[in-house]
Amino acid sequence: MPEQVARLDPQSREQALEGMAAEELDVLVIGGGVTGAGAALDAVTRGLRVGLVEARDYAAGTSSRSSKLIHGGLRYLEQLNFALVREALHERSLILNRLAPHLARPVPFIYPLQHRIWERPYVGSGILLYDSMGGRHGVPGHRHLTKRQALRAFPSLRKDALVGAVQYYDGQVDDARHTMMIARTAARYGALCATSARVVGFLREGDRVVGAEVEDLETGRTHQVRAKTTINAAGVWTDEIQEMVGGRGQFNVRASKGVHILVPRDRIHASTGIISRTEKSVLFIIPWDTHWIIGTTDTDWHLDLAHPAASRSDIEYLLDHANRLLATPLTHDDITGVYAGLRPLLAGESEATSQLSREHAVVSPVAGLVMVAGGKYTTYRVMAKDAVDVVAHALPWKVPKSCTDSVPIVGADGFHAAWNQRQARADRAGIHVAWVEHLLRRYGTLTDELLELIGENRDLGEPIEGAPEYLRVEAYYAALAEGALHLDDVLTRRTRISIETFDRGQSSARHVAELVAPVLGWDSKRVDEEVEHYLARVEAELQSQKEPDDQTADAARLGAPEVRGLGSRRAS
């Protein structure tokens, strides 16, 4: 049995906030997205005393709303940004092979060719360079396909949409679970981690930042958290955090909206994903377990940062471009889920957001405060390392170098052996091996913890009502060990029920709320409130997706109240 790792439960969260307030930290990290979680892990594994605070949930923003790809970025290769592509492909290899083999896996794509003479050598040479820069570690190499071979791999492709194709591989990951498990890994090594903990101001000594004032949104209490250095890893909120210390920073962040839709797997017959150009961005049709993810848009966004809204025009843009490739057109009725995310791009490099650099920057605008922004999901570890390097340089003692390139995410140790033994695990647990495979791909060797819970309560081994692709134990474990504090956390980020079911999880909401209630200490009134908030959120999102543009969609989405702060509002 693997060693039990630290749990992110309500008790550890309260202890983390109390611990941050009780003793000065070496590093306080603001932001529980992938970069902030990565920075907390990097700092704590260098021997520093670390706190991590997040105003909402782990990965609640950009880090749960990506294309779910771990990739170098073919379009950056075309822009001749070789350094970024090489760095990203190196990180792709680390994630697939060493850091998170239980969460990430290779995924195939075909690039359809539409011109007979020049396009195959042009595209082929680019993908050959892409493969060579990545060293082909963790993914198969590319291959050229005839038109017939391409249609065999993707039977739903229109015959007039290509004259041939090139197939290549990239990596795929459940971004929200990956981010949460990075935070859990940081907690395993001693980092103090708390969600629903919002920074409302900074502590100052002269011109130096010496910590932050943190409001516990579950209780309404405020904590004074002192730290030798604070890292602002708030993504699209970087500028807002910067304004708290006064003035502008050395860069500012520009938000670009990316929208994705999900359709059931049986709507498109193919054994591979597809990538194609559009006039504004890149279109992906990506296999995602029992669904396809179709994305993405790339448009400027100046409205609500917490809940970016997808409009009807966004959805029709994706359907239109997908249907240019598909023999059987998709309609709005085929869509099970829609999500919109904001890319934090460094502003000032170009007017068009699709042309802004995905490279990152680390600066220290005032003493005691380090800001990291930009970048892409795949290179989170490098961004985190660079930010902590700046922190280490400012501390008055020698800090060890980063070691996160050799620190597996929790659940990764022993994963390949556990996968080989999956039938034996299924036999011992008395469940079908397909369920063990499902759990191993989401929890790795932590699967044993869930199987033990099923052994203690056989009801937890049953599927969730309204979402038969998930077991009840997964919702229960989300509250017990994965930091979920609200119903939305479970249905949207610990699982993907909110985008993988046609009713957006409405029929599962009460069932899941009652499953987690004993862990989170909810009474029947609190269960009702959580369900009411979740259903209101779903209705607001569905309404926003009927609106014609960003302004009206944003107004519709803001019709749902924010669930964070529910506890403190009740206490007052």
Side-chain angles (χ1 to χ4, degrees):
M1 288 285 291
E3 178 185 356
Q4 189 179 72
V5 301
R7 288 181 170 178
L8 299 175
D9 56 22
Q11 292 72 37
S12 70
R13 174 187 169 278
E14 291 179 10
Q15 291 167 2
L17 285 170
E18 291 171 0
M20 289 185 222
E23 185 178 349
E24 184 184 38
L25 302 170
D26 296 322
V27 185
L28 172 65
V29 181
I30 303 171
V34 71
T35 304
L41 177 59
D42 189 285
V44 76
T45 53
R46 297 196 201 196
L48 301 178
R49 178 171 166 77
V50 179
L52 170 66
V53 293
E54 159 59 42
R56 294 187 293 160
D57 183 27
Y58 299 113
T62 302
S63 295
S64 61
R65 305 177 191 184
S66 74
S67 296
K68 324 300 182 198
L69 295 177
I70 300 295
H71 65 136
L74 277 174
R75 68 171 172 167
Y76 308 120
L77 190 62
E78 191 173 31
Q79 295 169 6
L80 305 182
N81 196 337
F82 300 117
L84 175 61
V85 175
R86 184 179 295 107
E87 178 181 82
L89 289 174
H90 174 72
E91 294 303 308
R92 182 191 72 177
S93 176
L94 279 176
I95 293 168
L96 286 168
N97 298 317
R98 183 185 302 169
L99 303 183
H102 55 317
L103 301 174
R105 58 195 58 86
V107 60
F109 288 96
I110 61 170
Y111 186 102
L113 304 173
Q114 298 173 324
H115 304 277
R116 292 189 181 278
I117 305 299
W118 61 269
E119 194 174 18
R120 186 178 291 277
Y122 176 75
V123 172
S125 60
I127 293 180
L128 174 61
L129 179 59
Y130 190 72
D131 269 359
S132 300
M133 293 174 72
R136 298 187 183 177
H137 296 306
V139 302
H142 78 284
R143 65 190 185 110
H144 287 264
L145 304 179
T146 65
K147 179 176 180 178
R148 179 175 295 182
Q149 289 172 323
L151 290 171
R152 191 177 301 133
F154 206 114
S156 285
L157 198 59
R158 286 175 48 173
K159 292 182 174 60
D160 62 354
L162 76 168
V163 297
V166 181
Q167 185 178 61
Y168 74 101
Y169 283 77
D170 255 321
Q172 183 178 68
V173 72
D174 185 328
D175 48 8
R177 291 199 57 76
H178 179 245
T179 297
M180 176 275 297
M181 293 181 90
I182 294 171
R184 191 173 175 189
T185 308
R188 177 185 190 179
Y189 286 98
L192 303 173
C193 302
T195 56
S196 286
R198 181 175 61 195
V199 170
V200 294
F202 284 97
L203 307 179
R204 305 288 289 266
E205 288 184 359
D207 291 333
R208 185 177 185 86
V209 171
V210 294
E213 189 175 3
V214 178
E215 180 187 2
D216 181 349
L217 295 178
E218 300 302 313
T219 65
R221 291 195 298 267
T222 299
H223 301 270
Q224 306 286 315
V225 179
R226 297 185 63 83
K228 294 181 176 66
T229 311
T230 299
I231 296 177
N232 175 7
V236 293
W237 286 272
T238 295
D239 292 357
E240 291 189 5
I241 299 295
Q242 169 64 20
E243 288 172 4
M244 290 184 188
V245 296
R248 304 294 297 175
Q250 293 166 262
F251 56 73
N252 64 307
V253 173
R254 183 172 172 179
S256 167
K257 184 176 70 167
V259 174
H260 297 78
I261 60 177
L262 273 77
V263 301
R265 195 63 177 265
D266 63 6
R267 299 304 194 271
I268 300 173
H269 300 291
S271 59
T272 178
I274 194 168
I275 176 176
S276 178
R277 297 174 183 271
T278 72
E279 65 274 13
K280 296 180 181 178
S281 60
V282 175
L283 180 78
F284 287 102
I285 301 178
I286 309 167
W288 175 256
D289 292 331
T290 58
H291 291 77
W292 296 92
I293 295 175
I294 301 174
T296 178
T297 62
D298 197 341
T299 56
D300 229 345
W301 179 261
H302 300 289
L303 302 169
D304 181 54
L305 296 179
H307 305 291
S311 67
R312 186 176 182 88
S313 60
D314 291 324
I315 295 169
E316 288 179 347
Y317 172 88
L318 293 173
L319 288 174
D320 177 58
H321 283 82
N323 287 338
R324 294 181 190 184
L325 298 173
L326 299 174
T328 303
L330 298 170
T331 71
H332 285 270
D333 291 339
D334 293 313
I335 296 173
T336 63
V338 179
Y339 63 93
L342 300 177
R343 305 175 188 89
L345 305 177
L346 298 183
E349 299 185 32
S350 170
E351 282 303 307
T353 59
S354 61
Q355 297 300 314
L356 287 173
S357 172
R358 296 307 298 273
E359 294 189 53
H360 65 275
V362 180
V363 298
S364 182
V366 298
L369 178 66
V370 173
M371 295 171 55
V372 54
K376 57 203 297 286
Y377 192 100
T378 305
T379 57
Y380 80 90
R381 194 194 64 82
V382 179
M383 296 174 65
K385 169 187 171 296
D386 290 350
V388 179
D389 280 345
V390 174
V391 169
H393 182 73
L395 291 173
W397 66 88
K398 183 174 178 58
V399 177
K401 293 182 179 180
S402 174
C403 63
T404 51
D405 61 346
S406 60
V407 178
I409 305 305
V410 290
D413 275 335
F415 169 70
H416 295 297
W419 182 260
N420 292 340
Q421 298 171 337
R422 60 192 183 279
Q423 184 63 60
R425 275 179 165 77
D427 293 341
R428 288 196 300 270
I431 63 175
H432 196 280
V433 68
W435 280 119
V436 174
E437 292 174 351
H438 165 83
L439 295 175
L440 284 169
R441 291 191 183 104
R442 291 169 49 75
Y443 305 88
T445 50
L446 299 181
T447 292
D448 289 335
E449 294 189 10
L450 286 88
L451 295 178
E452 287 179 6
L453 291 171
I454 292 173
E456 296 167 4
N457 181 355
R458 299 302 300 181
D459 284 347
L460 293 177
E462 297 297 319
I464 290 175
E465 291 179 14
E469 294 170 3
Y470 294 93
L471 293 176
R472 296 175 184 177
V473 70
E474 297 181 73
Y476 186 83
Y477 189 76
L480 181 70
E482 296 185 333
L485 297 176
H486 294 278
L487 179 59
D488 184 61
D489 301 344
V490 181
L491 295 177
T492 305
R493 287 171 291 277
R494 303 307 181 275
T495 69
R496 294 299 188 154
I497 292 171
S498 67
I499 57 173
E500 292 177 345
T501 59
F502 277 106
D503 72 350
R504 310 301 204 264
Q506 294 180 82
S507 61
S508 303
R510 182 162 296 278
H511 177 58
V512 171
E514 290 171 351
L515 277 172
V516 302
V519 181
L520 298 176
W522 295 351
D523 58 18
S524 60
K525 181 181 178 182
R526 179 62 184 274
V527 168
D528 290 343
E529 290 174 339
E530 289 283 336
V531 172
E532 179 183 339
H533 275 78
Y534 181 78
L535 296 181
R537 194 215 82 178
V538 170
E539 284 302 317
E541 288 188 347
L542 290 172
Q543 182 59 44
S544 72
Q545 292 156 23
K546 297 175 183 177
E547 300 296 336
D549 54 42
D550 283 353
Q551 286 72 25
T552 53
D554 178 69
R557 177 60 185 87
L558 291 176
E562 176 61 63
V563 70
R564 246 78 199 178
L566 180 65
S568 60
R569 291 195 297 270
R570 186 187 299 105
S572 63

